[in-house]
Amino acid sequence: MDALIVVIFFLFVTVESSALIARYAGWRIGSVSLGYSFHNAILSLNRFLGFLIGPLIGFRVDTGMGAAQLLQLTAWSLVLAALGTSAVYLFWGAVNASFCQVLGKIRQNGYRVHSFSAMRWTGTPGISPLKGRFVASFFYSSAVTTGLFVSVSFVLNLVAIYHFDYRGSILQLTGVVSGIGSLLLNFYTNPHLAVSEESGNADDGYFSVFLGKILGIAVVSPALIATVWLIFH
């Protein structure tokens, strides 16, 4: 089951990161609203994977998983998720070209199964990461949001191991912690990203936000886990 959790987490985070490029593709083809709605559609479908992660980790804790095992599971999950998100960034051009093809077909024919057959990987760019001007506010807000979002199940289950009798109450905090990240995303990052699209500087915004995602997975999340472990160990 531990391997299953790692795979689900890897797919969840990687698809979540790829979805941002769908929004970027909408801006590139001049259909910002379409790109944003397609981005949200991908996120909604991907939530199915996200909903599995917390209960599966909780089940492992309830059936005897110790702190050392959970930390090992967390390490594998974060490493693979960071690699997956980094790969999406490195192949930004290919992913973007595919989303542009699909969005163009959707704009022409509507949301139909046939529209998604427009996706073609052959002939699309290889390693071609997005380049832009570094915007610190986008970068750090994205890092914090992502760090909280991807680590919440691991962090709270680690606390639950050390306070096992109160694990039900502790795990109720999942929505609270995720909500803090959502507030920052929806009331700061996304509105500022929309402004960057309107001003024609979207490359800078997306570049900084995506780098922040990688930092959030690779640095912020492990730091949160390590802090909790040091406090409760």
Side-chain angles (χ1 to χ4, degrees), residues 65-151:
M65 171 180 272
Q69 289 177 287
L70 179 56
L71 289 172
Q72 186 178 32
L73 175 66
T74 303
W76 277 108
S77 299
L78 292 177
V79 166
L80 290 181
L83 290 175
T85 300
S86 298
V88 171
Y89 172 70
L90 289 175
F91 289 91
W92 184 287
V95 179
N96 175 60
S98 297
F99 277 133
C100 284
Q101 292 168 12
V102 171
L103 290 176
K105 201 72 173 178
I106 291 174
R107 185 168 58 178
Q108 180 180 354
N109 300 322
Y111 268 96
R112 299 177 182 177
V113 174
H114 176 68
S115 299
F116 295 91
S117 66
M119 184 172 286
R120 295 286 186 274
W121 291 99
T122 306
T124 54
I127 296 179
S128 52
L130 178 69
K131 300 292 178 62
R133 183 176 59 88
F134 179 77
V135 182
S137 58
F138 281 9
F139 175 75
Y140 291 117
S141 66
S142 178
V144 172
T145 300
T146 304
L148 290 172
F149 177 67
V150 303
S151 65

Side-chain angles (χ1 to χ4, degrees), residues 188-207:
Y188 184 84
T189 306
N190 278 342
H192 281 75
L193 199 56
V195 170
S196 73
E197 292 170 342
E198 293 294 330
S199 64
N201 297 319
D203 281 3
D204 298 340
Y206 281 93
F207 170 72

Side-chain angles (χ1 to χ4, degrees), residues 38-66:
F38 192 50
H39 165 250
N40 284 330
I42 295 172
L43 293 183
S44 297
L45 291 174
N46 196 43
R47 286 293 183 270
F48 174 74
L49 292 176
F51 292 150
L52 294 176
I53 296 168
L56 287 174
I57 298 174
F59 175 77
R60 289 290 289 117
V61 171
D62 282 344
T63 53
M65 171 180 272

